[in-house]
Amino acid sequence: MPQASKAAVDLNCLLGVPTETSIKISIVFNNQAPENFYISYGTESNNYSKTTETVVSPQIYVPTVISLAGLTKDTRYFYQVVCNGSEEQ
């Protein structure tokens, strides 16, 4: 029996309030909110060695702000939003 496809989650990310060792990411879900999400991040593309805590029951159209702390100065970081255990961005 074929499985139903999952609808893509429409979201916006805004990076702000950077310091030498941290940054805040504001996530806004536009069409539907997932049951939960977290951010994976690291210093190599497609190799996300750290994760934030899981946010449960976010609301649509309401920003959720997550801080990434303990970053290394002058280092490029890559990140992705993981909704309900599936990579989104």
Side-chain angles (χ1 to χ4, degrees), residues 61-77:
Y61 309 121
V62 177
T64 301
V65 179
I66 297 177
S67 294
L68 303 184
L71 305 177
T72 303
K73 181 180 176 181
D74 297 326
T75 301
R76 178 181 294 191
Y77 282 85

Side-chain angles (χ1 to χ4, degrees), residues 17-55:
V17 195
T19 70
E20 290 187 354
T21 60
S22 68
I23 195 161
K24 294 185 182 211
I25 303 177
S26 178
I27 308 285
V28 178
F29 295 97
N30 298 315
N31 61 350
Q32 65 183 16
E35 292 178 21
N36 60 69
F37 79 95
Y38 61 89
I39 297 174
S40 294
Y41 61 101
T43 57
E44 297 178 26
S45 179
N46 296 319
N47 185 10
Y48 309 105
S49 59
K50 298 182 180 184
T51 61
T52 64
E53 290 192 25
T54 299
V55 176

